[in-house]
Amino acid sequence: MKSLAAASIAAMALATPAHAAEPPGWPAFRAMFQEMVETDSSYASGDCTVLVNKTAARMKAAGFPAENLHIFVPEGAPRAGNLVAVLPGKDPKAKAVLMLGHIDVVNAFRQDWTRDPYVLVEENGEFYGRGVSDMKAQDAIYADNMVRYHAEGLKPRRTIKMALTCGEEPSPFVNGAAWLAQHPRELIDAGIAVTEGGGGDLDDQGKKLAVTVMAAEKATTNFTLEVTGPGGHSSKPRPENPITILSEALVKLGALPFPTEFNAFSRAYFEAVAPQVDAETGAAMRKVLVDPTDAAATAIVNRSMSRRAMVRTTCIPTLIEGGHASNAQPQRVRATVNCRLLPGQSVTAVQSAMEKAVADPRVKFSAPPPPTIPRPEISPLTPQIMDPIRAVAAKVYPGVPVTPMQETFGTDSTRLIAVGIPTFGFSALFRGDDAGNIHGLNEHVSVQSVMEGREFLYRLIKAYADQK
């Protein structure tokens, strides 16, 4: 079996187009990236523990000390393994630098994809596969960094750590970041931690618009909408059908216009990007900064999925279930509506807005109770965080502005911030408006973006590790 696997990998390598400007160490990095993508770590059919064992084995084979690799599998969760790697620093009093990444992925169904989601495909300058953008490219860069630093004999002032964790995506997997924050806490303790979020924005022609650093993120809440009825034989239709009622409610929610709202970070992003985009879009971005209610300008800004989502709360139906037989009127139908709330917005206010838009007492709304512990904000983007990013960006992406931004999703950063580890989001990967269609079909990220992001994060983590 090992021989067959080796032959298969060799054949795929021969079939992969070569790049004229492959950076040093690229084949070893690509092999690590490929193994991560091709090891299914979704909850439905995969296993995080298998993946962390493979990654640890690959790092050991590359010379990384086995005693500095630690695998943790939470009790009662055999598929939810996590890997922590440590590169000791010279100053025991200096707080460490931590690279945090989740290795679990959203489920993917082969019948819907153009390519097998669990095979890394390189095609027309793009990598395709589940997790290539969210976030196994970044995970592979982290592991590759640790191997490279050790091979170079790097002795940084601060200890460098890596935590690859399971359970960030919604699933019954145990959340590894939260688990590590409570169990071997000292092993991941750090003075600065970087995770997913931000990176860089590309326009439709591939122009780099800005290097982006996640300074704020949205909170996630799932609302359940339910309609019930007495049911009955389908040959004798009742005037009120729960499926029809719920469908009408969802159409109304689709038209619900949550207002444009800026905070300091989304405002900074708009100010930085407006001069980089086309004249019409740039003018519209400047107008909404002055008047967020300008309908014409908002319509132009909203052509971008990312910018539209950045400056408002969003709610969309993501799951629907109902009925009990093809020849029976439905007795119960439910929909899950996933909302991404701007920082500081209350669940109660969002539910009230949705109920007002639906205006139908037959549709029952419910939401999970608010957390007993307030959700922590992203750590402040201090000069200690931003200065190294600006310095590396000036060398890797000269002329491209660096800006904080409001991310459209949530990350595991809050798990670490809650226990006192300053954490922010920066992937160093440039992506287009669809962000590589994360969580969707044919997820992708450009090969060039991964090459450049690998170099950026390699330099950035070294810079953090040598900070005083």
Side-chain angles (χ1 to χ4, degrees):
M1 288 298 291
K2 289 182 179 178
S3 299
L4 286 172
S8 174
I9 292 171
M12 291 186 70
L14 290 172
T16 300
H19 291 274
E22 280 189 357
W26 181 254
F29 165 79
R30 194 189 185 286
M32 174 146 4
F33 182 31
Q34 179 172 342
E35 185 170 66
M36 285 188 173
V37 173
E38 297 187 356
T39 303
D40 179 0
S41 52
S42 68
Y43 183 79
S45 54
D47 193 317
C48 291
T49 305
V50 169
L51 178 50
V52 295
N53 276 295
K54 286 183 179 180
T55 302
R58 185 173 289 274
M59 292 176 70
K60 282 188 283 188
F64 198 86
E67 63 270 21
N68 290 342
L69 293 166
H70 310 273
I71 292 174
F72 299 96
V73 181
E75 185 177 357
R79 294 192 293 140
N82 309 278
L83 171 63
V84 176
V86 180
L87 183 79
K90 292 182 294 186
D91 185 351
K93 296 182 179 179
K95 291 189 174 181
V97 178
L98 172 66
M99 300 177 287
L100 172 69
H102 71 84
I103 56 169
D104 59 314
V105 296
V106 167
N107 300 335
F109 302 107
R110 175 66 185 93
Q111 64 269 27
D112 297 334
W113 283 55
T114 303
R115 308 159 190 85
D116 188 328
Y118 297 112
V119 173
L120 181 67
V121 175
E122 185 177 341
E123 187 177 294
N124 298 323
E126 295 281 320
F127 285 124
Y128 291 89
R130 174 56 86 222
V132 294
S133 191
D134 183 23
M135 58 173 291
K136 287 183 174 179
Q138 192 170 353
D139 294 333
I141 290 170
Y142 287 165
D144 180 65
N145 275 354
M146 298 298 281
V147 170
R148 291 172 74 184
Y149 296 151
H150 175 75
E152 293 168 3
L154 181 67
K155 302 294 182 184
R157 177 172 178 266
R158 299 170 180 267
T159 293
I160 300 175
K161 300 178 179 181
M162 175 191 76
L164 300 183
T165 63
C166 196
E168 190 271 348
E169 304 292 1
S171 78
F173 273 143
V174 173
N175 182 279
W179 191 89
L180 288 170
Q182 298 299 327
H183 290 79
R185 168 74 172 76
E186 68 286 349
L187 196 60
I188 64 162
D189 196 23
I192 186 171
V194 59
T195 189
E196 62 180 328
D201 286 1
L202 300 171
D203 68 10
D204 292 341
Q205 286 71 48
K207 174 189 173 183
K208 292 180 174 68
L209 300 176
V211 175
T212 58
V213 186
M214 183 181 74
E217 63 180 31
K218 287 185 170 181
T220 302
T221 296
N222 288 322
F223 292 90
T224 299
L225 279 62
E226 183 176 77
V227 181
T228 58
H233 201 286
S234 61
S235 68
K236 302 180 186 297
R238 295 180 181 275
E240 294 186 339
N241 185 307
I243 290 178
T244 303
I245 294 168
L246 184 60
S247 298
E248 291 170 349
L250 295 177
V251 170
K252 291 176 182 177
L253 286 181
L256 174 61
F258 284 98
T260 301
E261 298 181 49
F262 286 96
N263 56 35
F265 312 117
S266 54
R267 183 172 292 277
Y269 172 85
F270 270 52
E271 290 171 347
V273 171
Q276 306 294 316
V277 297
D278 64 89
E280 181 186 38
T281 303
M285 293 176 75
R286 294 184 184 95
K287 285 180 180 178
V288 296
L289 281 169
V290 175
D291 181 8
T293 65
D294 187 318
T298 297
I300 294 171
V301 170
N302 286 354
R303 293 172 186 170
S304 162
M305 292 185 292
S306 295
R307 292 176 202 131
R308 179 185 181 277
M310 184 185 296
V311 295
R312 59 180 45 78
T313 288
T314 60
C315 293
I316 68 165
T318 53
L319 295 169
I320 192 163
E321 59 179 316
H324 58 284
S326 63
N327 61 347
Q329 297 178 62
Q331 297 167 188
R332 186 182 305 274
V333 60
R334 296 188 186 94
T336 298
V337 175
N338 178 263
C339 292
R340 305 295 176 129
L341 281 61
L342 288 174
Q345 192 151 46
S346 75
V347 172
T348 302
V350 172
Q351 181 171 335
S352 178
M354 290 197 297
E355 289 176 339
K356 184 176 179 180
V358 170
D360 189 337
R362 297 172 297 179
V363 181
K364 306 301 181 185
F365 285 76
S366 61
T372 55
I373 301 175
R375 178 185 174 87
E377 299 295 331
I378 295 297
S379 302
L381 296 184
T382 62
Q384 180 192 25
I385 291 173
M386 293 300 292
D387 287 351
I389 293 177
R390 291 192 178 100
V392 177
K395 296 177 181 178
V396 180
Y397 307 126
V400 179
V402 178
T403 179
M405 54 92 78
Q406 156 74 62
E407 193 51 270
T408 62
F409 51 77
T411 71
D412 266 339
S413 62
T414 55
R415 312 285 187 172
L416 301 190
I417 295 170
V419 295
I421 300 175
T423 309
F424 70 99
F426 183 66
S427 71
L429 300 175
F430 272 82
R431 289 174 281 217
D433 192 46
D434 71 345
N437 210 32
I438 289 171
H439 292 193
L441 293 176
N442 306 310
E443 183 180 345
H444 61 95
V445 66
S446 80
V447 178
Q448 180 180 356
S449 177
V450 177
M451 284 183 174
E452 293 173 344
R454 175 175 175 256
E455 179 62 20
F456 198 116
L457 281 176
Y458 168 77
R459 296 188 187 194
L460 180 65
I461 299 303
K462 285 180 74 172
Y464 285 144
D466 283 328
Q467 270 187 337
K468 294 183 179 179

